[in-house]
Amino acid sequence: MDLRVTAVNQAPVADGDYVLYWMIAARRTTWSFALDHAIAVAKQLGRPLLVFEPLRADYRWASDRFHTFVMQGMADNARRFAAHGVTYLSYVEPARGAGKGLLAALAARACCVVTDEQPGFFLPRMVAASALTVRLEQVDGNGLLPLRAVDRPFATAMAFRRELQHQLGPFLAQAPRADPLARLPRSVKGAVVPALRWRSATSVAELPIDHTVAPVADRGGSVAAGRRADDFFDHKLARYQTDRNNLDDDPASGLSPYLHFGHISAHELVHRVWAAAEWSPAALAGAKVTGRREGWWGLPAASEAVLDELVTWRELGYVCSHHDPAFGTWNGLPAWARKSLLDHANDPRPERYTREQLQHAETADPIWNAAQRQLVGEGRIHNYLRMLWGKKILEWSPTPQVALATLIELNNTYSVDGRDPNSSSGICWTLGQFDRPWGPIRPIFGTVRYMSSASTKRKLDLASYLTRWSGSTSPATPPRRRARGSRSRTAR
C-alpha cells in the first residue's frame, strides 16, 4: 500500500472523535483501497468511521445527467453503510458555493481525513486546495498499477503495455477487499455527526445546473453496476473479441460510466475476468515481456481483449494524466501530430459546421448524425463510431485546436463517462495521441490517421442503427438555439 497512500499535508493526526473518509471518486462500498485504508486507520486509532460523500453544484458541465447518476449511487451507498452500522453523510450542494466550509467543519472534529486520489478533471486541484488542519491522506485505487509505480507518461499503448508486463506481477496479488464492511468491529461503527447548518438538496430540479441534458435510461450506482457486470460476464464476454463491431448486438460491457464515477472497481472486473477463465496470477511465472496485446496473460482471446482495454488503455490514460499536466490539451498531443495538423491547418475544408450545428446533428453525414444523436440520447457512442465521430469533427473544424475544443465540449457535456482520463485518451487519439504517423499525407489530416464514412459503411452493418438514430425515433435532442449568423452548412 505504500505507493498507493500519500500524505497531502504535513498536519498531525489529532485526538478527534472519528476518522473521516471524504469519498470523492471511489463512490462505492466494495473493492476500495481508500475505504480499506480508512477502516484500518479507524481500527488503529480506536475511533468510529464517518463517511462523507459530497456532490458540488459548480463543476463544469454539471447537469441533470451526471447529478442523477451520482445521486442514485449515493442511495445505494446509504443503504449499504446503514446495514453495517457505519455512519454515512451524503451532501448535494443546493447552490453554487453553498457547501463551502462543510469539509473543514467535519475535519475539525476528525482524527484524520482519508480521501480518493483520481488524477482527472478538477479532483486533484480540489484535494490540494482543501487546506485542512488535520492530516489528510489520499489513496490511489485507480488501477492495477499504482500511479507512482512509474515516473513518466508513455507515448504509445505498446510502450506502456511493455512497462505493465515488466512491473505488474507483484501488484496482482494486492487487491482491495471485496467487502470491507463485513465483520467490522464495534469501534468503527456509530460515529456521531456534529450539528451542521448546511442543507443538502434532495432533487435535481432545484439545482443550478444544466437541465437540458437529461438523465440517461441507465441507473447509476453500485447495484446497477453489479447487474451490468453480471450481464457482461454471463452473456457477452465470450463474444467480446469477435463481435465488437456488431451494432445490433454490441458485446461491450457498458461499464465505463460506472468505472468513471467509482460505482465499480477495475480490480473487481479484472478478478471476474480471471475467475471466468479459472486463471490466477501464478500462471504469469516466467512470462516474457513483449509489449504485444495477445499472449502475455495466457488467457482466451476474448479475456485478453477485455484486459487490454481495462488495464492497458484505461490505465495508460490515468498514468499520463497523473504525470503530464498537459495531457488532454492541445499541448499534450505528440509533437509530430501537432506539426502535421498545423501544416495542414489552412487546407480547404469541403464542409464546415459550427459547434451548435454539430451539437444538434445537423450535418450532411447520416452516420455522424446518428452517432451524435446516440451520444445525446444514451450518453455514449458505439466504440467504432466514436472514432469516426471524432475524426469528422477534425475534418469539419476551421483549425485542429477548434476541433479539440469541440470534441471536449460535446463529449464532456453528454458522455456519461466523460471528464475522465480514459475519455481524454479517446478524444485525443483522434488527433494522434498514442498513435503514429500514417501515410499517405492527406489534406487536413496530414499524417494523422484518417477515417471516412465510406469505409465505415463497408465495415459495419449500419441499417438498423441508422434507423434507430435517424432523428424521428431517437430521444429528444436539446432545445435548438440558433447562433447569430450561422448557416446550416458552409461550403468551401
Side-chain angles (χ1 to χ4, degrees), residues 267-312:
H267 283 83
E268 176 181 358
L269 297 178
V270 167
H271 277 73
R272 292 195 66 169
V273 172
W274 296 349
E278 299 181 347
W279 185 93
S280 79
L284 287 176
K288 184 178 179 181
V289 173
T290 65
R292 296 200 304 233
R293 281 182 298 182
E294 302 89 6
W296 185 74
W297 295 94
L299 283 163
S303 300
E304 295 229 354
V306 171
L307 291 179
D308 198 55
E309 294 292 333
L310 182 60
V311 181
T312 303

Side-chain angles (χ1 to χ4, degrees), residues 116-199:
D116 307 305
E117 180 176 25
Q118 207 265 33
F121 204 17
F122 65 86
L123 297 184
R125 298 191 302 274
M126 181 178 72
V127 172
S130 57
L132 302 182
T133 57
V134 297
R135 184 173 178 83
L136 172 60
E137 296 179 340
Q138 60 183 358
V139 183
D140 165 20
N142 295 287
L144 271 63
L145 190 73
L147 296 173
R148 291 171 181 79
V150 294
D151 60 2
R152 67 192 187 283
F154 291 81
T156 65
M158 185 171 188
F160 182 60
R161 194 181 293 113
R162 184 181 295 275
E163 187 71 20
L164 282 172
Q165 293 174 3
H166 178 70
Q167 288 217 49
L168 262 185
F171 297 107
L172 296 182
Q174 299 177 11
R177 295 172 60 194
D179 188 3
L181 301 183
R183 298 183 295 279
L184 288 177
R186 293 178 62 87
S187 63
V188 176
K189 303 179 181 182
V192 177
V193 180
L196 300 169
R197 61 178 176 81
W198 284 268
R199 179 184 71 86

Side-chain angles (χ1 to χ4, degrees), residues 341-382:
L341 291 171
L342 290 176
D343 286 346
H344 294 270
N346 294 322
D347 289 356
R349 266 70 173 165
E351 296 167 308
R352 288 192 189 181
Y353 299 100
T354 66
R355 185 179 297 177
E356 186 180 33
Q357 290 166 335
L358 295 172
Q359 175 188 1
H360 293 278
E362 295 176 344
T363 81
D365 187 327
I367 300 176
W368 194 93
N369 291 345
Q372 174 64 16
R373 292 190 186 107
Q374 184 186 17
L375 177 63
V376 172
E378 291 187 344
R380 63 179 290 270
I381 303 176
H382 179 274

Side-chain angles (χ1 to χ4, degrees), residues 16-20 42 46-50 87 186-192:
D17 297 332
Y18 46 73
V19 170
L20 178 64
R47 295 292 194 276
L49 177 66
L50 170 59
T87 304
R186 293 178 62 87
S187 63
V188 176
K189 303 179 181 182
V192 177

